[in-house]
Amino acid sequence: AQKVTQAQTEISVVEKEDVTLDCVYETRDTTYYLFWYKQPPSGELVFLIRRNSFDEQNEISGRYSWNFQKSTSSFNFTITASQVVDSAVYFCALSESGSSNTGKLIFGQGTTLQVKP
Amino acid sequence: DARVTQTPRHKVTEMGQEVTMRCQPILGHNTVFWYRQTMMQGLELLAYFRNRAPLDDSGMPKDRFSAEMPDATLATLKIQPSEPRDSAVYFCASARVTGAAGELFFGEGSRLTVL
C-alpha cells in the first residue's frame, strides 16, 4: 500500500532561517511521482513541484530546493532564508504512474510552518 | 488563468439537511477528484471520475454521500442527510491524466459546517 509520512506536525522558525520539511514515502511501484503542495491561510492548495522516480537530481527554484533520495524513500523540501509569506501548511504527496496510473494523489498529513518576523 | 471553480465557498446547515457542492473543472481535463480535509484525517480522497465515469468512490460513506458528473463542466457532491461529522473543507481537483501523473489543480474548497 502507498503511504506518505510527514513526521513534523508543526515547525516554527524566525524569518531568514533555513527550514527543511521531511517527507518519507512507501510504494511498491517502480514508477511513481512525488509532489509538494502549499496551502496558505487562504485555503487553496498550490502546486510546487513534481518529481518522477527516475530523476534523483536535486532541484532548486529560488529559495526552494528539493532533495530526492530513493535509497531512503525521502523527498525533503528546504526553504532557504524563510519569509513570513512562507507560513502555510505544506503537503507531500505520492502518485501512481504507468499502467496503474489513476492520477490520484496520496497525501501526507501536512507540516504547518510558521515563520515569525 | 484556468481555474477549478467550486461553489459554495462556505455553507452552514443544520443536521439532516441536504447539501450539494458543485465543481467546474478546468476545460480539457479528463479527471476530477473530490477530497475532504479535516484536522483529524487530513486530506482524504472521496471519489474520482475519468471522462465523467466514476472510477472509485470507496472513500465515500455510501449511505449518505453521492458524487456525479452530469456533464464535462460540472461535478457534484451531495450529502443527504448531513451530519455534524461531515463538517470539513471539501476540495475538488482536476487533472489531465495520461501515462504520466500530472499536476492536480485544486479549487478553493467548500467549507461545510453542519450544526
Side-chain angles (χ1 to χ4, degrees):
Chain A
Q2 295 185 310
K3 185 178 178 182
V4 176
T5 302
Q6 294 179 255
Q8 305 149 308
T9 304
E10 292 184 19
I11 301 176
S12 181
V13 299
V14 177
E15 205 169 20
K16 297 183 183 174
E17 286 184 12
D18 298 348
V19 58
T20 295
L21 310 181
D22 297 334
C23 173
V24 174
Y25 62 93
E26 296 175 27
T27 181
R28 293 182 180 178
D29 289 343
T30 55
T31 304
Y32 51 88
Y33 284 79
L34 294 161
F35 298 77
W36 276 94
Y37 278 81
K38 174 182 179 180
Q39 186 177 36
S42 58
E44 186 174 354
L45 281 96
V46 178
F47 167 81
L48 295 178
I49 190 171
R50 180 187 74 165
R51 175 55 53 89
N52 77 53
S53 54
F54 296 110
D55 182 2
E56 289 194 68
Q57 279 193 341
N58 291 336
E59 181 154 344
I60 298 174
S61 176
R63 296 184 296 107
Y64 295 171
S65 62
W66 290 269
N67 183 349
F68 176 32
Q69 292 199 342
K70 216 167 175 178
S71 60
T72 56
S73 297
S74 66
F75 187 43
N76 296 338
F77 172 31
T78 297
I79 302 175
T80 302
S82 59
Q83 300 176 1
V84 173
V85 293
D86 296 327
S87 297
V89 182
Y90 290 87
F91 291 93
C92 181
L94 171 67
S95 177
E96 303 161 326
S97 186
S99 60
S100 61
N101 178 32
T102 59
K104 67 181 180 181
L105 295 184
I106 306 300
F107 285 88
Q109 286 294 97
T111 297
T112 299
L113 173 65
Q114 183 181 34
V115 181
K116 298 178 181 177
Chain B
D1 285 341
R3 300 174 68 94
V4 174
T5 304
Q6 288 186 247
T7 57
R9 292 291 315 280
H10 302 274
K11 176 74 175 180
V12 180
T13 191
E14 292 187 348
M15 183 173 63
Q17 296 298 305
E18 177 180 302
V19 175
T20 298
M21 289 167 276
R22 293 177 174 81
C23 168
Q24 181 176 3
I26 292 173
L27 189 64
H29 283 189
N30 61 353
T31 308
V32 174
F33 303 85
W34 282 105
Y35 282 87
R36 176 171 64 183
Q37 185 178 32
T38 61
M39 289 293 292
M40 293 300 294
Q41 301 297 326
L43 279 158
E44 305 172 274
L45 179 64
L46 298 176
Y48 64 105
F49 296 79
R50 176 73 48 80
N51 297 321
R52 294 177 53 201
L55 282 192
D56 186 357
D57 61 0
S58 58
M60 282 197 323
K62 298 289 193 313
D63 55 338
R64 300 183 299 107
F65 284 58
S66 61
E68 296 180 346
M69 270 201 85
D71 62 62
T73 64
L74 178 64
T76 63
L77 179 66
K78 186 178 295 185
I79 308 173
Q80 168 62 23
S82 58
E83 297 181 0
R85 58 179 167 157
D86 301 328
S87 297
V89 181
Y90 291 82
F91 286 101
C92 175
S94 71
R96 179 160 176 74
V97 177
T98 59
E103 171 189 351
L104 265 62
F105 292 79
F106 283 83
E108 293 180 303
S110 294
R111 181 177 294 276
L112 173 65
T113 302
V114 183
L115 303 174

